[in-house]
């Protein structure tokens, strides 16, 4: 018996397009722009190459640029604070754009990085140890905030690398480049501790390399957010709460494995 003969036309209409959860494009693009700005500001120390700071970049910490008694404290401290604000804003904007617990941990760790960086500016070195022999390299509160900056940085990098590890990856850009940046950032960070253990000299070069790598990390996150759907071309994953229409004519029963209604 032909059941379709007695079926109303309304019931024989093609199934409506499947609604899939994808990141909100506007929020994703805004996050990318914010993190790009943070990457540029975090490397504002490059201005010291054209300013009479009196510091030797080979043998000084970047944070000496905004030590309490330095002439360009307002400039370099302001850029550091602005970068911290952008990082916190980007982390809050993107906190649910990658549907993975590890990725959410990464965004909250990045928010912690921003708050610690802001504290780093508000609790600066009292003087520049590379210029003043009597100035101690260890300034208790500043050393604590700097330690927290590094802790949250590496926590975010590890969390995002874990989130990007599965195949197919939800974050292919991070999956490819994240572990390399993580390794480089850790090595360069370790080689900057000389003054803290009584062996100053040449620590400025690896620290500035470290700061460049952190800027690249922010740029990498920005690239991930700017990629189609925030997950790279053709990736089937997206964040919850941001619906988008499936491919025309696709029926729920024929959707690719891994997609959820």
């Amino acid at each position: 018996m032909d059941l379709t003969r007695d079926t109303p036309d309304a019931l024989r209409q093609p199934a409506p397009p499947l609604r899939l959860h994808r990141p909100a494009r506007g929020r994703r693009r805004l996050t990318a722009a914010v993190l790009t700005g943070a990457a540029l500001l975090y490397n504002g120390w490059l201005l010291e190459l054209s300013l009479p700071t009196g510091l030797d970049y080979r043998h000084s910490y970047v944070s000496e640029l905004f030590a309490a008694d330095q002439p360009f404290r307002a400039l370099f401290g302001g850029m550091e604070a602005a970068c911290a604000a952008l990082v916190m804003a980007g982390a809050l904007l993107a906190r649910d754009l990658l549907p993975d617990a590890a990725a959410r941990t990464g965004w909250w760790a990045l928010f912690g990085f921003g708050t610690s960086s802001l504290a780093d500016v508000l609790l600066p070195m009292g003087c520049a140890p590379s210029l003043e022999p009597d100035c101690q390299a260890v300034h208790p509160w500043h050393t604590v905030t700097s330690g927290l900056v590094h802790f949250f940085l590496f926590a975010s990098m590890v969390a995002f690398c874990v989130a990007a590890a599965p195949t197919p990856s939800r974050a292919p850009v991070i999956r490819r480049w994240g572990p390399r940046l993580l390794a480089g950032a850790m090595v360069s960070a370790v080689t900057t501790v000389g003054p803290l253990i009584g062996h100053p000299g040449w620590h400025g070069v690896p620290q500035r390399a470290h700061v460049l790598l952190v800027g690249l990390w922010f740029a990498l996150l920005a690239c991930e957010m700017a990629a189609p759907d925030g997950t790279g071309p053709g990736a089937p994953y997206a964040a919850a709460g941001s619906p988008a229409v499936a491919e025309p004519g696709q029926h729920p029963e024929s959707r690719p494995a891994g997609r959820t209604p």
Side-chain angles (χ1 to χ4, degrees):
M1 181 174 63
D2 187 1
L3 295 179
T4 60
R5 183 178 303 171
D6 301 322
T7 304
D9 290 341
L11 297 181
R12 291 201 299 266
Q13 295 297 322
L18 177 65
R19 305 293 293 185
L20 298 178
H21 296 299
R22 293 181 178 174
R25 293 184 179 180
R27 192 151 55 99
R28 197 171 69 238
R29 290 170 181 167
L30 180 58
T31 301
V34 165
L35 292 177
T36 299
L40 294 174
L41 285 172
Y42 200 67
N43 282 283
W45 64 268
L46 289 167
L47 292 176
E48 74 173 318
L49 301 177
S50 60
L51 292 173
T53 64
L55 296 170
D56 187 335
Y57 70 88
R58 299 170 298 175
H59 308 299
S60 63
Y61 283 125
V62 171
S63 54
E64 291 182 51
L65 291 167
F66 54 88
D69 64 349
Q70 292 304 295
F72 295 99
R73 165 171 166 72
L75 172 63
F76 291 104
M79 288 192 294
E80 185 85 0
C83 172
L86 289 178
V87 168
M88 288 188 286
L92 290 177
L93 282 168
R95 66 190 182 278
D96 59 351
L97 291 183
L98 295 174
D100 186 280
R104 288 192 293 271
T105 299
W107 290 121
W108 285 115
L110 202 67
F111 184 85
F113 173 95
T115 58
S116 301
S117 292
L118 186 58
D120 225 25
V121 177
L122 298 176
L123 300 169
M125 290 181 169
C127 51
S130 67
L131 292 178
E132 304 173 39
D134 296 332
C135 181
Q136 297 296 318
V138 177
H139 295 251
W141 285 112
H142 184 78
T143 301
V144 169
T145 56
S146 295
L148 289 173
V149 167
H150 284 85
F151 169 78
F152 285 118
L153 168 68
F154 291 126
S156 76
M157 296 179 90
V158 170
F160 279 119
C161 287
V162 169
T167 302
S169 179
R170 295 180 173 94
V173 180
I174 295 175
R175 187 175 189 269
R176 180 176 182 182
W177 297 106
R180 304 177 191 187
L181 285 180
L182 172 60
M186 292 191 74
V187 170
S188 57
V190 169
T191 55
T192 65
V193 301
L196 304 180
I197 57 176
H199 297 283
W202 293 99
H203 52 280
V205 174
Q207 196 202 26
R208 282 158 177 76
H210 172 80
V211 173
L212 282 171
L213 289 172
V214 176
L216 287 175
W217 173 243
F218 295 156
L220 188 72
L221 294 175
C223 288
E224 193 67 74
M225 290 297 98
D229 291 338
T231 57
Y237 297 98
S242 303
V245 179
E247 292 77 2
Q250 184 182 29
H251 192 272
E253 283 75 10
S254 63
R255 65 179 177 268
R259 296 194 179 189
T260 54

